[in-house]
Amino acid sequence: ARTAEIMVGQTARRAAMWAVAVVLLGAGALASGVGALSIAKYGSYAPMLGGGLSAESAAEVSGASGFACGDTVSVFHTVDVAAREAAFELRLSAASNGAKGAAFSECLRAVAESANGGSVELKQSLVGSAAVFESGAEVVCSVRIDGVRKPGKLVVRIDVRLACEAGASPRGALSATVGTQTAVLTEVERVRGAAEPYVTLEKTVTTGDGLCGVHDSKLLTDSYVAADMREIKFCYTVMNRGTRPACGLSLVQNSGLEDGASVNVALHALSDACSAGEYNALPASTTTGRAPSAWSGVTTEHTLRYPCGVTKVEPVARVVAAGSTLAAAAVSIDAKDSCGGAASPARAAAASGASSRLSLDDSSLRQTELSTCPCIIMSKMFYVLEETAGPGADGISTCILRVAFDGWQCLDLLDIESLPSAGAYEICYFTEAVRYVPWGTSLFNKTVGDSVGCKTRTVDIVEPVVLTRLI
């Protein structure tokens, strides 16, 4: 068996505290009987993330209920941890039992549904010589629980990838099995994206000088003024998760104003998968993998200008083909009345400073008011501009685009894991944020190591961001 360890020592406390991790849920109703197996119903959780409750699951769910190629399917199993430890194997169909083209392809994560301490370890194996999607292929998720505080029944959630193969027309069912217990996803031919294109649109917003992938979010409270206008940048990711190409695509952005004005946004790097020489398509995807980075998709951005009097608006973007809307997404703009600087507390990502460890250990906190405060990125990567020379006589510096792992994002206290180590801590209050922004150029199509002109920009923060740091 080919084995790859994908998560070790994911404690219940850590899973509960990280914003990017799966949240541990309340006690809830246990599945009936030790060993009972079930699948979360569609609509009970965010389908790309996994989640839900065992109380909202069933031993059989249908692909027609809303599941899509690439979704995360959550499987629940109840185990007896009488000895404060347990282990089991979840065996997954890696090939649909009718026509090939669908699979449970990866074990993504395993977490306990209730906070009972201990750790949940997960390893993945592909059994035999058959590859994913081939008849007889089987993926095994090996789960081990130990160190729980109280013996008894424990519901474990295992998130798995529902994958589809580009060009295929899957049919039949996929199963998950522990011992004699089986849960089934039926009618895989009715999963969205099976034997058809399935286009999705993700949209975020930032200021006109912000960086997509760095400063963007679903809600914008920041205000950036250019020539007495409020300048807003929209960031888009268009993806085709289906097993057939998506043809004739265009992206339309509505201003959200009463006049209903819309603009066409250029979609770069489309293919001619539908008609030779016509670059307006997204190829089909094979939606395997722990992340969608290799799936068929493109990113782009577009900047609009609004009068300063426009403070609240929800512009909608649509992906259109042959006059029909395939996907739509909206963001919210809720800025100050004036065109003065205002930054969202959740987006003080630009504050400069060295990396620091953050803690929730209130027993050793002392309050100190500061105008700046170091921040840290926890398990995230961002692209940032770093000054390498300048500024010159014109006030413009030279910056290099680089990858940053720390010192560029501030996290809310509720998203930070408590640190057990002793030490003195202080509470910091953000009152302003400073960042380098491109000047006289765009970062579109720039890569790590490229040099651009840059300047610093300072914005006031409407509500101070409260953090702690180790000193």
Side-chain angles (χ1 to χ4, degrees):
R2 287 170 281 171
T3 304
E5 185 172 324
I6 60 175
M7 183 175 288
V8 178
Q10 177 64 39
T11 64
R13 181 176 182 84
R14 180 173 300 171
M17 297 305 300
W18 287 79
V20 296
V22 178
V23 178
L24 291 181
L25 302 168
L30 292 179
S32 56
V34 174
L37 203 64
S38 58
I39 295 175
K41 297 177 181 178
Y42 184 82
S44 64
Y45 64 98
M48 280 294 287
L49 299 178
L53 286 167
S54 57
E56 299 180 45
S57 63
E60 182 177 305
V61 296
S62 171
S65 62
F67 289 103
C69 294
D71 275 356
T72 298
V73 174
S74 295
V75 181
F76 294 94
H77 179 53
T78 306
V79 295
D80 190 348
V81 288
R84 298 190 178 183
E85 63 180 15
F88 64 90
E89 288 187 345
L90 175 69
R91 307 182 79 89
L92 304 172
S93 299
S96 41
N97 64 4
K100 65 169 293 190
F104 286 144
S105 60
E106 279 92 18
C107 314
L108 300 177
R109 65 188 65 83
V111 295
E113 187 178 68
S114 59
N116 192 18
S119 64
V120 181
E121 298 179 1
L122 174 65
K123 294 182 179 181
Q124 173 179 310
S125 306
L126 181 61
V127 177
S129 58
V132 172
F133 300 120
E134 298 299 326
S135 178
E138 188 177 57
V139 170
V140 176
C141 310
S142 300
V143 181
R144 179 176 178 79
I145 307 105
D146 58 31
V148 298
R149 288 191 293 268
K150 296 180 180 180
K153 295 178 182 179
L154 182 68
V155 178
V156 179
R157 194 188 82 228
I158 306 97
D159 294 335
V160 303
R161 177 73 69 208
L162 171 58
C164 300
E165 184 180 21
S169 299
R171 188 177 68 255
L174 296 169
S175 64
T177 303
V178 176
T180 60
Q181 300 289 330
T182 299
V184 182
L185 173 67
T186 64
E187 298 183 291
V188 296
E189 63 272 18
R190 300 181 67 182
V191 167
R192 288 181 293 174
E196 64 180 1
Y198 176 54
V199 176
T200 61
L201 172 63
E202 288 294 325
K203 177 186 174 187
T204 51
V205 62
T206 183
T207 55
D209 66 337
L211 306 180
C212 291
V214 180
H215 307 121
D216 51 319
S217 64
K218 289 289 187 181
L219 171 66
L220 179 71
T221 63
D222 210 355
S223 181
Y224 173 64
V225 181
D228 296 326
M229 298 286 280
R230 194 187 303 280
E231 196 169 88
I232 305 298
K233 181 183 291 182
F234 300 108
C235 313
Y236 314 88
T237 299
V238 183
M239 189 172 291
N240 177 22
R241 290 160 54 185
T243 67
R244 299 289 188 272
C247 308
L249 300 180
S250 60
L251 178 60
V252 179
Q253 175 65 61
N254 185 277
S255 67
L257 302 179
E258 291 183 1
D259 60 11
S262 297
V263 294
N264 289 321
V265 180
L267 285 174
H268 304 276
L270 291 177
S271 81
D272 61 348
C274 297
S275 181
E278 295 184 18
Y279 294 89
N280 60 4
L282 277 176
S285 283
T286 296
T287 52
T288 55
R290 293 184 54 75
S293 55
W295 302 355
S296 176
V298 294
T299 59
T300 190
E301 60 187 47
H302 186 74
T303 300
L304 288 180
R305 286 184 168 185
Y306 291 84
C308 285
V310 175
T311 58
K312 291 191 178 184
V313 65
E314 293 191 356
V316 177
R318 297 178 297 120
V319 180
V320 178
S324 298
T325 298
L326 305 183
V331 292
S332 297
I333 300 170
D334 188 358
K336 291 176 63 176
D337 291 338
S338 68
C339 279
S344 164
R347 289 200 321 100
S352 59
S355 62
S356 304
R357 296 302 301 274
L358 305 179
S359 170
L360 293 176
D361 188 356
D362 293 334
S363 63
S364 57
L365 289 179
R366 62 182 179 84
Q367 185 166 318
T368 306
E369 294 190 16
L370 302 175
S371 59
T372 59
C373 179
C375 303
I376 188 172
I377 286 179
M378 310 290 267
S379 76
K380 298 200 77 173
M381 180 183 75
F382 288 97
Y383 295 99
V384 297
L385 288 177
E386 182 179 80
E387 185 186 55
T388 57
D394 56 1
I396 301 176
S397 300
T398 299
C399 285
I400 188 172
L401 185 63
R402 70 171 182 87
V403 175
F405 292 94
D406 56 20
W408 289 90
Q409 187 184 30
C410 298
L411 302 177
D412 186 83
L413 281 176
L414 295 178
D415 298 334
I416 301 169
E417 182 186 3
S418 180
L419 298 178
S421 59
Y425 297 84
E426 62 185 358
I427 298 179
C428 305
Y429 295 89
F430 269 102
T431 59
E432 61 183 23
V434 181
R435 66 170 178 255
Y436 279 100
V437 298
W439 199 265
T441 186
S442 170
L443 289 182
F444 184 74
N445 281 340
K446 297 291 185 184
T447 60
V448 174
D450 287 349
S451 294
V452 298
C454 59
K455 283 188 175 183
T456 58
R457 173 172 174 250
T458 302
V459 294
D460 295 329
I461 294 177
V462 178
E463 298 177 12
V465 178
V466 182
L467 297 170
T468 64
R469 65 167 177 167
L470 178 66
I471 57 172

